[in-house]
Amino acid sequence: MKAFHLLGAAPLYTNSFVLISNAGNAVVIDPAADAKQYDKVLHEQGAKLTAILCTHGHYDHVGSAEALRGEWGAKLYCEPVDCKGDQLYPLKSADSGYEEGEKIAVDELTFTVWHTPGHTEGGVVLLCGEYLFVGDTVFQGSVGRTDMEGGSMQKMDASLRKLAGLPIPKETQLLPGHGDFSTFGEELANNFYLRNALRGGNADF
């Protein structure tokens, strides 16, 4: 497997990722960058894009999803509730949503999916080997905001409690939608919101 990190445009600089299997099939997580940036990586690696996985439907995470799907014929995953076709949620549809605990396999790459609503109704996190893609559910030392359309403080609290209790190795790389990377163990130990969720408390976001 090969992994690549791309950034979306300023000022949000959304984190986006490309994983390429040993057989040359690629998966894009949160296609925030310009489509040409993904094309460059894919062509340089001799890879074919087969799946696009969106952690949620906000515009800064799905910006090139339609262009890449059309160009490569890749299967696009996003929860239907986050496909509203408006300014905040620009996707009108996806090829598939996610089932809780579903495993999406692309050659040796296997993504396990858990629903984590709170930032949006359709938020998910994706675990693939040593990488945990958390979108805007968790950041280094913080969590996603809940004050926009589709956000819910109560649902975020429940999602954090679930996330904190998942059987994920502490050394797993935690890759958020914005900002610096971390590890699952570091956030369990130092992220106030996750620690509070483990204690069963409620927090304001």
Side-chain angles (χ1 to χ4, degrees):
M1 178 191 72
K2 297 179 181 178
F4 301 85
H5 172 219
L6 286 74
L7 284 175
L12 296 176
Y13 297 109
T14 303
N15 290 321
S16 179
F17 306 91
V18 181
L19 300 186
I20 302 176
S21 75
N22 294 332
N25 291 307
V27 179
V28 167
I29 299 96
D30 284 350
D34 186 87
K36 292 180 181 179
Q37 294 188 47
Y38 300 99
D39 291 341
K40 184 175 186 292
V41 172
L42 295 168
H43 289 310
E44 287 178 348
Q45 298 298 318
K48 174 179 172 56
L49 180 60
T50 59
I52 303 167
L53 308 180
C54 300
T55 61
H56 63 290
H58 278 161
Y59 68 94
D60 59 313
H61 288 255
V62 304
S64 60
E66 291 286 9
L68 291 171
R69 174 166 62 168
E71 178 183 358
W72 293 91
K75 186 173 182 179
L76 174 60
Y77 291 80
C78 188
E79 278 293 279
V81 72
D82 275 12
C83 297
K84 300 179 180 180
D86 59 22
Q87 186 173 2
L88 185 59
Y89 297 94
L91 287 181
K92 294 181 179 179
S93 65
D95 298 308
S96 179
Y98 302 101
E99 297 293 331
E100 178 72 9
E102 176 182 5
K103 296 184 183 299
I104 299 170
V106 177
D107 300 324
E108 80 277 9
L109 307 177
T110 300
F111 297 83
T112 304
V113 186
W114 293 281
H115 289 103
T116 55
H119 180 63
T120 73
E121 284 281 352
V124 300
V125 298
L126 307 157
L127 176 67
C128 182
E130 63 185 291
Y131 300 124
L132 179 64
F133 303 96
V134 294
D136 289 1
T137 297
V138 176
F139 303 125
Q140 184 188 61
S142 188
V143 295
R145 59 189 295 181
T146 62
D147 60 340
M148 296 188 294
E149 178 191 346
S152 167
M153 182 176 66
Q154 290 75 23
K155 289 182 179 179
M156 177 65 87
D157 187 69
S159 292
L160 293 175
R161 191 173 298 116
K162 177 169 75 173
L163 179 61
L166 290 176
I168 298 172
K170 292 184 177 180
E171 65 271 17
T172 301
Q173 290 292 304
L174 187 140
L175 306 177
H178 303 274
D180 294 333
F181 302 162
S182 185
T183 68
F184 189 58
E186 286 173 355
E187 296 311 302
L188 287 176
N190 300 312
N191 187 310
F192 165 79
Y193 302 98
L194 277 176
R195 292 177 61 190
N196 193 62
L198 275 172
R199 294 195 298 267
N202 293 291
D204 292 330
F205 305 112

